[in-house]
Amino acid sequence: MTNYNPKEIESKWQSFWSKEKTFSVVEDPNKKKIYVLDMFPYPSGEGLHVGHPLGYIASDIFARFKRHQGYNVLHPMGYDSFGLPAEQYAIQTGQHPALTTEKNINRYRQQLDRLGFAYDWEREIRTSDPYYYKWTQWIFIQLFDSWYDLVENKAKPITSLIAHFESEGSQDINASCTQKLTFTPKQWNSYSSEKKEDVLMNYRLAYLSMSMVNWCPELGTVLANDEVKDGVSERGGYPVEQKEMMQWSLRISAYAQRLLDDLDQVDFTTSLKEQQRNWIGKSEGLLINFEIEHQKEELQVFTTRPDTIYGVSFMTLAPEHKLVQHITTSEKKKEVFAYVDLISKKTERERQANNGKPTGVFTGSYAINPINNEKIPIWVSEYVLHGYGTGAVMAVPSGDQRDYEFAKQFNIEIKNIFEGISLDSSAYSEKDVIYKNSPEINGLNYVDATAKITTLLVQKKKGRKKINFRLRDAIFSRQRYWGEPFPIYYKDNIPYTIKEEQVLLPKVDKYLPTRDGRPPLGRAKKEDWNIFLGDQMELNTMPGWAGSSWYFLRYMDPKNDKKLASSEKLNYWNQVDLYVGGAEHAVGHLLYSRFWTKFLFDLGVISFQEPFKKLLNQGMIGGAIESLCLKKEKKEGRPVFVCSTKIDNEDFVKIPCHIDFVSDYGSKTSHLLPKQIQKFIKWRPEFKHALFEISNQFLSVEELLNHPEKKLFTLTEHGKMSKRYFNTIDPEKICDSYGADTLRCYEMFLGPIDEHKPWNVNGISGVSGFLKKTWTLFHQAKKVAPSNEELKILHKTIKKVSEDIENYSFNTVVSTFMIAVNEWNKLSQISLTTMENFVVLLSPFAPHISEEFWFKLGNKTSISTVPWPSYNESYFVESTYEYPISFNGKMRFKIPLSLSLTKEEVEKEVLKNKKTEPFIAEKTVKRIIVVPGKIVNIVL
RNA sequence: GCCCGGGUGGUGGAAUUGGUAGACACGCAAGACUUAAAAUCUUGUGACCAUUUGGUCGUGCGGGUUCAAGUCCCGCCCCGGGUACCA
């Protein structure tokens, strides 16, 4: 018997799999399908990130498991190769993005191959591949050519809308739109083509508009809302400003309700669903019109609390609100316009970081409260957001904290409309209130008051029920080079789609972004375009999430050049059954793909409305940073290290320590033992003469070695993995020293797949030892009939492993394997047939070693085609059956089969011990707990 | 602030969903083999007393329900994530 040599067998089986195309899959209507998908990576240049393999291993295990169970498994991989990260890397290294992308992909592939994944590489896709992005562009054209009918709740061809306008005008159209328009058919038919196009833009699902956008000068592009965090760009952390620009947007807001409702159909974590719900942000309320003194126009506000209308003591407009220009009185003009100007110059971040005092100015005008005709001053303040609701609010200082603070700041009246509530220090925003000073609703509760005010205002034609969503349309233009070009050209300022031929990304000399926002594609000459129509090509490119919003469909039929995928294949593979990836894509990618899926459903391209049935979020893997505490003060000229537990504002310097030396790495009690201190000193010889202050003694290394139990506690901080902190672990290095199978099992063994954890390598020897033990055990197996004892272990293992994989509890599966092997090891001998079954169980986790075993067993086909073993309960000595007897009512017993007790014997046993107290009977069964009239449980 | 998660030995983590808490692994200790080391194997390992056969306390803290609570309910504390002038 040779020793377990992972390096040798892993490369052997990897080349076998790739030569035999073991994992390529074809559609087969006679077989049930499973679609297991990983979030495909950005090939960013730093190679695979340590967190990545975690999810890939999990999905690979699941895919291999299902393949054993006889499913036709689609398990593909590809690259999200367009977009900012790829381009940033190219810019940093001064190479063309196409080149660096190619290089990075090769590197990724090499790393992926090393881990033995069962991907069908025949189906690989790249979003930057023209054969792929042809269909991204195609979907864009469909969006451009569609509008959203709110009556039937689906997208429809724009031609049907035009036909309606021609015959009925805007009447009877309830569409998702930027602005509500009204016109007659006669008016419509008299419009110029430019005007018609303007009107249609108002309805198209992909539309051009002049709007305030998140402009990031450093990246030279605009960003979608979810790409901006805390006023800076998510990627790179550069400041983001508000800028008015002509941009393409996608009308995702049309789908807000469906995106919200259909969350009930999918199996995502509650926290992720909650994030999506918050992002969609549905709120039901009332639009209320306030008349303005001496003005024709009315001021419309949105509120969810019409019940507090008697508490309105001022109105507030966003500085961008168009009424600000009209209603500001002449004496206030100078002040108000200066304020508006000041605010417009602020970046998003500055507006948010408005710590403490609210700002604002009075416009000089007054609104009329429609409920009691009271005169209310109208103010302008930056705390009101232009983009939400109507950009104006009715301010109720008694019920809203922001309004309260504003009122305090500017000495505006705070009307108390709540019975028995003190408003001395803050507003009262809870809804458990009884009203006062509110003639129509005095004494009522929240529900009744809201209903009454709503009815009153609707009757007066001053109010209208309205559902508002926080979800904003997604900006779809990027002023960057490395993205899908729009299939759009302009003629006389009217955009037209290009359908006759695919628009390819033209070559340009310089692909760097510009600071002023002119797209790099502007550098392309007329002849650089493969197709050039009209006066001007669209020069923006699509954002990174365009290609990733539908890629899961292309894997189904990656080489189709007639359609994005054939309907048979789309129908066969259907939804992704298991989608594995990080939770950081909660509101970006996951929302956009859900949106596109629904749109493609409306088009009739696909037959399902949700792309991902089940989402598994793998936890992030961070790195703990371990440092020794070096006192600034030396002792007798020698440096002194002290325990991290002893430092309190004392002067000390952190000396980062290589994590290989640290015990309990990443925990509160991380420490170095004398032997490890010795290693540390070898690594950092400049501390050769250092002293270590432990339990009030100053000891040198030599002295410490006489006290092997002494511990020097290290300072642990949680952070990133970085070479700078000596806390990186390279997955490839682990493959080198332990093998991919050990790494796969170990990553699963670390803990629940969805939990965040710092990476550590502390326990890897246990997993490695397990595989070695398995190797030995296998080679000791004899060609004999399996004993009952070993079968009992096997069948328990099959049961537990199958159930746990089904529940994505991969860490406990590895433990179960270990228990089985340990128990078999205690037996005098083991049969080959038992091992044969075990090898199948092991193969999703450790495919290479399992394949090696399978080969040795003389089976020529690859192990992944072997059926998953089934278990037989009769081998479970501890198996139980339910044994109902009557005892002060109905009770349930679980009695071991092995004891083969008769009914009388059990009853006798139980009745003999009949007590009011629970009791334990250890003679016939291990434990019986009996309570008269309640459940009795007999534990083994 | 609000919304989700979560808190179990020295460490990572189990616990059939209300039924012997601490599986499995790491670490540590002792022993076997060895000239020695590595590797491997065996044993022990929540804490505190008793040192045998036993006892007491133990799942962030304080209450409660129950024959029985890590698990359910109420009130706190702490950690992680998301989100925010959304009216």
Side-chain angles (χ1 to χ4, degrees), chain A residues 588-611:
Chain A
H589 164 60
L590 283 170
L591 204 60
Y592 294 130
S593 4
R594 294 184 60 223
F595 161 41
W596 281 36
T597 302
K598 287 179 194 309
F599 173 67
L600 292 171
F601 171 84
D602 288 353
L603 284 188
V605 173
I606 52 177
S607 58
F608 45 93
Q609 294 222 37
E610 281 294 331

PDB file of all heavy atoms in Angstrom, chain A residues 588-611:
ATOM      1  N   GLY A 588     -28.287  44.967  -5.270  1.00  0.00           N
ATOM      2  CA  GLY A 588     -27.831  45.274  -6.611  1.00  0.00           C
ATOM      3  C   GLY A 588     -28.217  44.156  -7.553  1.00  0.00           C
ATOM      4  O   GLY A 588     -29.348  44.070  -8.027  1.00  0.00           O
ATOM      5  N   HIS A 589     -27.284  43.287  -7.762  1.00  0.00           N
ATOM      6  CA  HIS A 589     -27.436  42.179  -8.696  1.00  0.00           C
ATOM      7  C   HIS A 589     -28.746  41.397  -8.508  1.00  0.00           C
ATOM      8  O   HIS A 589     -29.444  41.108  -9.473  1.00  0.00           O
ATOM      9  CB  HIS A 589     -26.233  41.255  -8.536  1.00  0.00           C
ATOM     10  CG  HIS A 589     -26.403  39.907  -9.138  1.00  0.00           C
ATOM     11  ND1 HIS A 589     -26.637  39.745 -10.480  1.00  0.00           N
ATOM     12  CD2 HIS A 589     -26.408  38.677  -8.596  1.00  0.00           C
ATOM     13  CE1 HIS A 589     -26.761  38.449 -10.724  1.00  0.00           C
ATOM     14  NE2 HIS A 589     -26.636  37.785  -9.593  1.00  0.00           N
ATOM     15  N   LEU A 590     -29.071  41.057  -7.264  1.00  0.00           N
ATOM     16  CA  LEU A 590     -30.243  40.206  -7.053  1.00  0.00           C
ATOM     17  C   LEU A 590     -31.544  40.900  -7.418  1.00  0.00           C
ATOM     18  O   LEU A 590     -32.491  40.266  -7.868  1.00  0.00           O
ATOM     19  CB  LEU A 590     -30.291  39.728  -5.601  1.00  0.00           C
ATOM     20  CG  LEU A 590     -29.313  38.598  -5.288  1.00  0.00           C
ATOM     21  CD1 LEU A 590     -29.248  38.339  -3.799  1.00  0.00           C
ATOM     22  CD2 LEU A 590     -29.710  37.333  -6.020  1.00  0.00           C
ATOM     23  N   LEU A 591     -31.576  42.210  -7.223  1.00  0.00           N
ATOM     24  CA  LEU A 591     -32.789  42.934  -7.569  1.00  0.00           C
ATOM     25  C   LEU A 591     -32.896  43.119  -9.083  1.00  0.00           C
ATOM     26  O   LEU A 591     -33.958  42.933  -9.675  1.00  0.00           O
ATOM     27  CB  LEU A 591     -32.788  44.284  -6.850  1.00  0.00           C
ATOM     28  CG  LEU A 591     -34.131  44.936  -6.614  1.00  0.00           C
ATOM     29  CD1 LEU A 591     -35.018  44.056  -5.760  1.00  0.00           C
ATOM     30  CD2 LEU A 591     -33.954  46.278  -5.935  1.00  0.00           C
ATOM     31  N   TYR A 592     -31.765  43.455  -9.691  1.00  0.00           N
ATOM     32  CA  TYR A 592     -31.774  43.661 -11.141  1.00  0.00           C
ATOM     33  C   TYR A 592     -32.088  42.363 -11.880  1.00  0.00           C
ATOM     34  O   TYR A 592     -32.838  42.359 -12.862  1.00  0.00           O
ATOM     35  CB  TYR A 592     -30.432  44.215 -11.626  1.00  0.00           C
ATOM     36  CG  TYR A 592     -30.140  45.597 -11.110  1.00  0.00           C
ATOM     37  CD1 TYR A 592     -28.924  45.906 -10.505  1.00  0.00           C
ATOM     38  CD2 TYR A 592     -31.089  46.621 -11.220  1.00  0.00           C
ATOM     39  CE1 TYR A 592     -28.655  47.178 -10.035  1.00  0.00           C
ATOM     40  CE2 TYR A 592     -30.819  47.894 -10.736  1.00  0.00           C
ATOM     41  CZ  TYR A 592     -29.603  48.169 -10.145  1.00  0.00           C
ATOM     42  OH  TYR A 592     -29.342  49.423  -9.676  1.00  0.00           O
ATOM     43  N   SER A 593     -31.509  41.238 -11.429  1.00  0.00           N
ATOM     44  CA  SER A 593     -31.818  39.988 -12.158  1.00  0.00           C
ATOM     45  C   SER A 593     -33.274  39.600 -11.975  1.00  0.00           C
ATOM     46  O   SER A 593     -33.874  39.026 -12.872  1.00  0.00           O
ATOM     47  CB  SER A 593     -30.932  38.814 -11.758  1.00  0.00           C
ATOM     48  OG  SER A 593     -30.071  39.121 -10.747  1.00  0.00           O
ATOM     49  N   ARG A 594     -33.821  39.887 -10.815  1.00  0.00           N
ATOM     50  CA  ARG A 594     -35.228  39.587 -10.607  1.00  0.00           C
ATOM     51  C   ARG A 594     -36.081  40.453 -11.549  1.00  0.00           C
ATOM     52  O   ARG A 594     -37.048  39.985 -12.147  1.00  0.00           O
ATOM     53  CB  ARG A 594     -35.615  39.833  -9.154  1.00  0.00           C
ATOM     54  CG  ARG A 594     -34.932  38.884  -8.166  1.00  0.00           C
ATOM     55  CD  ARG A 594     -35.408  39.093  -6.747  1.00  0.00           C
ATOM     56  NE  ARG A 594     -36.826  38.873  -6.637  1.00  0.00           N
ATOM     57  CZ  ARG A 594     -37.660  39.647  -5.944  1.00  0.00           C
ATOM     58  NH1 ARG A 594     -37.199  40.687  -5.278  1.00  0.00           N
ATOM     59  NH2 ARG A 594     -38.928  39.382  -5.914  1.00  0.00           N
ATOM     60  N   PHE A 595     -35.681  41.709 -11.691  1.00  0.00           N
ATOM     61  CA  PHE A 595     -36.372  42.643 -12.580  1.00  0.00           C
ATOM     62  C   PHE A 595     -36.314  42.166 -14.028  1.00  0.00           C
ATOM     63  O   PHE A 595     -37.350  42.041 -14.699  1.00  0.00           O
ATOM     64  CB  PHE A 595     -35.740  44.024 -12.380  1.00  0.00           C
ATOM     65  CG  PHE A 595     -35.968  45.037 -13.472  1.00  0.00           C
ATOM     66  CD1 PHE A 595     -37.205  45.179 -14.100  1.00  0.00           C
ATOM     67  CD2 PHE A 595     -34.931  45.895 -13.840  1.00  0.00           C
ATOM     68  CE1 PHE A 595     -37.394  46.143 -15.094  1.00  0.00           C
ATOM     69  CE2 PHE A 595     -35.118  46.855 -14.824  1.00  0.00           C
ATOM     70  CZ  PHE A 595     -36.343  46.967 -15.455  1.00  0.00           C
ATOM     71  N   TRP A 596     -35.138  41.816 -14.513  1.00  0.00           N
ATOM     72  CA  TRP A 596     -35.005  41.384 -15.911  1.00  0.00           C
ATOM     73  C   TRP A 596     -35.748  40.089 -16.162  1.00  0.00           C
ATOM     74  O   TRP A 596     -36.314  39.867 -17.231  1.00  0.00           O
ATOM     75  CB  TRP A 596     -33.512  41.241 -16.279  1.00  0.00           C
ATOM     76  CG  TRP A 596     -32.859  42.560 -16.579  1.00  0.00           C
ATOM     77  CD1 TRP A 596     -33.142  43.744 -15.943  1.00  0.00           C
ATOM     78  CD2 TRP A 596     -31.866  42.858 -17.553  1.00  0.00           C
ATOM     79  NE1 TRP A 596     -32.357  44.753 -16.459  1.00  0.00           N
ATOM     80  CE2 TRP A 596     -31.563  44.242 -17.449  1.00  0.00           C
ATOM     81  CE3 TRP A 596     -31.191  42.094 -18.498  1.00  0.00           C
ATOM     82  CZ2 TRP A 596     -30.609  44.849 -18.263  1.00  0.00           C
ATOM     83  CZ3 TRP A 596     -30.236  42.719 -19.302  1.00  0.00           C
ATOM     84  CH2 TRP A 596     -29.957  44.086 -19.188  1.00  0.00           C
ATOM     85  N   THR A 597     -35.723  39.199 -15.161  1.00  0.00           N
ATOM     86  CA  THR A 597     -36.441  37.934 -15.309  1.00  0.00           C
ATOM     87  C   THR A 597     -37.929  38.197 -15.491  1.00  0.00           C
ATOM     88  O   THR A 597     -38.583  37.601 -16.355  1.00  0.00           O
ATOM     89  CB  THR A 597     -36.201  37.051 -14.074  1.00  0.00           C
ATOM     90  OG1 THR A 597     -34.805  36.843 -13.932  1.00  0.00           O
ATOM     91  CG2 THR A 597     -36.895  35.701 -14.216  1.00  0.00           C
ATOM     92  N   LYS A 598     -38.463  39.101 -14.692  1.00  0.00           N
ATOM     93  CA  LYS A 598     -39.888  39.416 -14.799  1.00  0.00           C
ATOM     94  C   LYS A 598     -40.199  40.047 -16.153  1.00  0.00           C
ATOM     95  O   LYS A 598     -41.224  39.751 -16.777  1.00  0.00           O
ATOM     96  CB  LYS A 598     -40.314  40.345 -13.664  1.00  0.00           C
ATOM     97  CG  LYS A 598     -40.371  39.594 -12.355  1.00  0.00           C
ATOM     98  CD  LYS A 598     -40.760  40.490 -11.203  1.00  0.00           C
ATOM     99  CE  LYS A 598     -40.480  39.792  -9.882  1.00  0.00           C
ATOM    100  NZ  LYS A 598     -41.058  38.439  -9.804  1.00  0.00           N
ATOM    101  N   PHE A 599     -39.291  40.879 -16.607  1.00  0.00           N
ATOM    102  CA  PHE A 599     -39.494  41.503 -17.916  1.00  0.00           C
ATOM    103  C   PHE A 599     -39.477  40.456 -19.029  1.00  0.00           C
ATOM    104  O   PHE A 599     -40.350  40.452 -19.903  1.00  0.00           O
ATOM    105  CB  PHE A 599     -38.428  42.583 -18.154  1.00  0.00           C
ATOM    106  CG  PHE A 599     -38.466  43.150 -19.537  1.00  0.00           C
ATOM    107  CD1 PHE A 599     -39.553  43.923 -19.958  1.00  0.00           C
ATOM    108  CD2 PHE A 599     -37.434  42.917 -20.434  1.00  0.00           C
ATOM    109  CE1 PHE A 599     -39.602  44.439 -21.247  1.00  0.00           C
ATOM    110  CE2 PHE A 599     -37.475  43.430 -21.723  1.00  0.00           C
ATOM    111  CZ  PHE A 599     -38.567  44.188 -22.132  1.00  0.00           C
ATOM    112  N   LEU A 600     -38.497  39.548 -18.966  1.00  0.00           N
ATOM    113  CA  LEU A 600     -38.426  38.499 -19.988  1.00  0.00           C
ATOM    114  C   LEU A 600     -39.632  37.573 -19.910  1.00  0.00           C
ATOM    115  O   LEU A 600     -40.081  37.033 -20.923  1.00  0.00           O
ATOM    116  CB  LEU A 600     -37.122  37.703 -19.852  1.00  0.00           C
ATOM    117  CG  LEU A 600     -35.851  38.488 -20.199  1.00  0.00           C
ATOM    118  CD1 LEU A 600     -34.599  37.708 -19.835  1.00  0.00           C
ATOM    119  CD2 LEU A 600     -35.815  38.854 -21.685  1.00  0.00           C
ATOM    120  N   PHE A 601     -40.161  37.409 -18.720  1.00  0.00           N
ATOM    121  CA  PHE A 601     -41.401  36.648 -18.562  1.00  0.00           C
ATOM    122  C   PHE A 601     -42.549  37.360 -19.278  1.00  0.00           C
ATOM    123  O   PHE A 601     -43.319  36.749 -20.020  1.00  0.00           O
ATOM    124  CB  PHE A 601     -41.719  36.481 -17.076  1.00  0.00           C
ATOM    125  CG  PHE A 601     -43.089  35.907 -16.808  1.00  0.00           C
ATOM    126  CD1 PHE A 601     -43.283  34.531 -16.838  1.00  0.00           C
ATOM    127  CD2 PHE A 601     -44.175  36.736 -16.525  1.00  0.00           C
ATOM    128  CE1 PHE A 601     -44.546  33.989 -16.596  1.00  0.00           C
ATOM    129  CE2 PHE A 601     -45.433  36.208 -16.287  1.00  0.00           C
ATOM    130  CZ  PHE A 601     -45.616  34.835 -16.325  1.00  0.00           C
ATOM    131  N   ASP A 602     -42.631  38.674 -19.078  1.00  0.00           N
ATOM    132  CA  ASP A 602     -43.680  39.454 -19.740  1.00  0.00           C
ATOM    133  C   ASP A 602     -43.572  39.358 -21.260  1.00  0.00           C
ATOM    134  O   ASP A 602     -44.572  39.339 -21.967  1.00  0.00           O
ATOM    135  CB  ASP A 602     -43.602  40.932 -19.311  1.00  0.00           C
ATOM    136  CG  ASP A 602     -44.072  41.139 -17.883  1.00  0.00           C
ATOM    137  OD1 ASP A 602     -44.574  40.165 -17.279  1.00  0.00           O
ATOM    138  OD2 ASP A 602     -43.915  42.257 -17.361  1.00  0.00           O
ATOM    139  N   LEU A 603     -42.328  39.307 -21.741  1.00  0.00           N
ATOM    140  CA  LEU A 603     -42.114  39.204 -23.185  1.00  0.00           C
ATOM    141  C   LEU A 603     -42.493  37.819 -23.706  1.00  0.00           C
ATOM    142  O   LEU A 603     -42.611  37.624 -24.901  1.00  0.00           O
ATOM    143  CB  LEU A 603     -40.637  39.420 -23.531  1.00  0.00           C
ATOM    144  CG  LEU A 603     -40.060  40.819 -23.519  1.00  0.00           C
ATOM    145  CD1 LEU A 603     -38.648  40.767 -24.085  1.00  0.00           C
ATOM    146  CD2 LEU A 603     -40.908  41.781 -24.337  1.00  0.00           C
ATOM    147  N   GLY A 604     -42.592  36.853 -22.773  1.00  0.00           N
ATOM    148  CA  GLY A 604     -42.884  35.487 -23.193  1.00  0.00           C
ATOM    149  C   GLY A 604     -41.643  34.685 -23.514  1.00  0.00           C
ATOM    150  O   GLY A 604     -41.727  33.585 -24.042  1.00  0.00           O
ATOM    151  N   VAL A 605     -40.478  35.232 -23.202  1.00  0.00           N
ATOM    152  CA  VAL A 605     -39.230  34.520 -23.496  1.00  0.00           C
ATOM    153  C   VAL A 605     -39.054  33.347 -22.542  1.00  0.00           C
ATOM    154  O   VAL A 605     -38.607  32.271 -22.917  1.00  0.00           O
ATOM    155  CB  VAL A 605     -38.025  35.480 -23.390  1.00  0.00           C
ATOM    156  CG1 VAL A 605     -36.706  34.731 -23.517  1.00  0.00           C
ATOM    157  CG2 VAL A 605     -38.134  36.559 -24.456  1.00  0.00           C
ATOM    158  N   ILE A 606     -39.402  33.563 -21.285  1.00  0.00           N
ATOM    159  CA  ILE A 606     -39.260  32.497 -20.296  1.00  0.00           C
ATOM    160  C   ILE A 606     -40.599  32.286 -19.584  1.00  0.00           C
ATOM    161  O   ILE A 606     -41.486  33.138 -19.644  1.00  0.00           O
ATOM    162  CB  ILE A 606     -38.158  32.809 -19.257  1.00  0.00           C
ATOM    163  CG1 ILE A 606     -38.368  34.206 -18.639  1.00  0.00           C
ATOM    164  CG2 ILE A 606     -36.793  32.700 -19.876  1.00  0.00           C
ATOM    165  CD1 ILE A 606     -37.375  34.554 -17.574  1.00  0.00           C
ATOM    166  N   SER A 607     -40.692  31.171 -18.879  1.00  0.00           N
ATOM    167  CA  SER A 607     -41.975  30.808 -18.299  1.00  0.00           C
ATOM    168  C   SER A 607     -41.997  30.948 -16.779  1.00  0.00           C
ATOM    169  O   SER A 607     -42.887  30.455 -16.132  1.00  0.00           O
ATOM    170  CB  SER A 607     -42.311  29.367 -18.671  1.00  0.00           C
ATOM    171  OG  SER A 607     -41.268  28.538 -18.211  1.00  0.00           O
ATOM    172  N   PHE A 608     -40.965  31.586 -16.226  1.00  0.00           N
ATOM    173  CA  PHE A 608     -40.934  31.745 -14.778  1.00  0.00           C
ATOM    174  C   PHE A 608     -40.637  33.198 -14.423  1.00  0.00           C
ATOM    175  O   PHE A 608     -40.033  33.924 -15.203  1.00  0.00           O
ATOM    176  CB  PHE A 608     -39.898  30.823 -14.147  1.00  0.00           C
ATOM    177  CG  PHE A 608     -38.576  30.819 -14.864  1.00  0.00           C
ATOM    178  CD1 PHE A 608     -37.567  31.678 -14.474  1.00  0.00           C
ATOM    179  CD2 PHE A 608     -38.352  29.962 -15.934  1.00  0.00           C
ATOM    180  CE1 PHE A 608     -36.345  31.691 -15.141  1.00  0.00           C
ATOM    181  CE2 PHE A 608     -37.137  29.965 -16.602  1.00  0.00           C
ATOM    182  CZ  PHE A 608     -36.143  30.826 -16.215  1.00  0.00           C
ATOM    183  N   GLN A 609     -41.080  33.590 -13.246  1.00  0.00           N
ATOM    184  CA  GLN A 609     -40.973  34.992 -12.856  1.00  0.00           C
ATOM    185  C   GLN A 609     -39.834  35.274 -11.886  1.00  0.00           C
ATOM    186  O   GLN A 609     -39.507  36.421 -11.630  1.00  0.00           O
ATOM    187  CB  GLN A 609     -42.272  35.435 -12.173  1.00  0.00           C
ATOM    188  CG  GLN A 609     -43.441  35.439 -13.096  1.00  0.00           C
ATOM    189  CD  GLN A 609     -44.295  36.659 -12.890  1.00  0.00           C
ATOM    190  OE1 GLN A 609     -43.779  37.751 -12.630  1.00  0.00           O
ATOM    191  NE2 GLN A 609     -45.603  36.510 -12.990  1.00  0.00           N
ATOM    192  N   GLU A 610     -39.320  34.221 -11.271  1.00  0.00           N
ATOM    193  CA  GLU A 610     -38.225  34.418 -10.333  1.00  0.00           C
ATOM    194  C   GLU A 610     -37.020  33.619 -10.807  1.00  0.00           C
ATOM    195  O   GLU A 610     -37.132  32.428 -11.095  1.00  0.00           O
ATOM    196  CB  GLU A 610     -38.628  33.959  -8.924  1.00  0.00           C
ATOM    197  CG  GLU A 610     -39.485  34.959  -8.167  1.00  0.00           C
ATOM    198  CD  GLU A 610     -38.752  36.244  -7.831  1.00  0.00           C
ATOM    199  OE1 GLU A 610     -37.515  36.204  -7.671  1.00  0.00           O
ATOM    200  OE2 GLU A 610     -39.406  37.299  -7.739  1.00  0.00           O
ATOM    201  N   PRO A 611     -35.846  34.250 -10.885  1.00  0.00           N
ATOM    202  CA  PRO A 611     -34.678  33.534 -11.393  1.00  0.00           C
ATOM    203  C   PRO A 611     -34.141  32.486 -10.425  1.00  0.00           C
ATOM    204  O   PRO A 611     -33.715  31.417 -10.847  1.00  0.00           O
ATOM    205  CB  PRO A 611     -33.653  34.635 -11.607  1.00  0.00           C
ATOM    206  CG  PRO A 611     -34.069  35.761 -10.724  1.00  0.00           C
ATOM    207  CD  PRO A 611     -35.557  35.670 -10.618  1.00  0.00           C
TER     208      PRO A 611
END
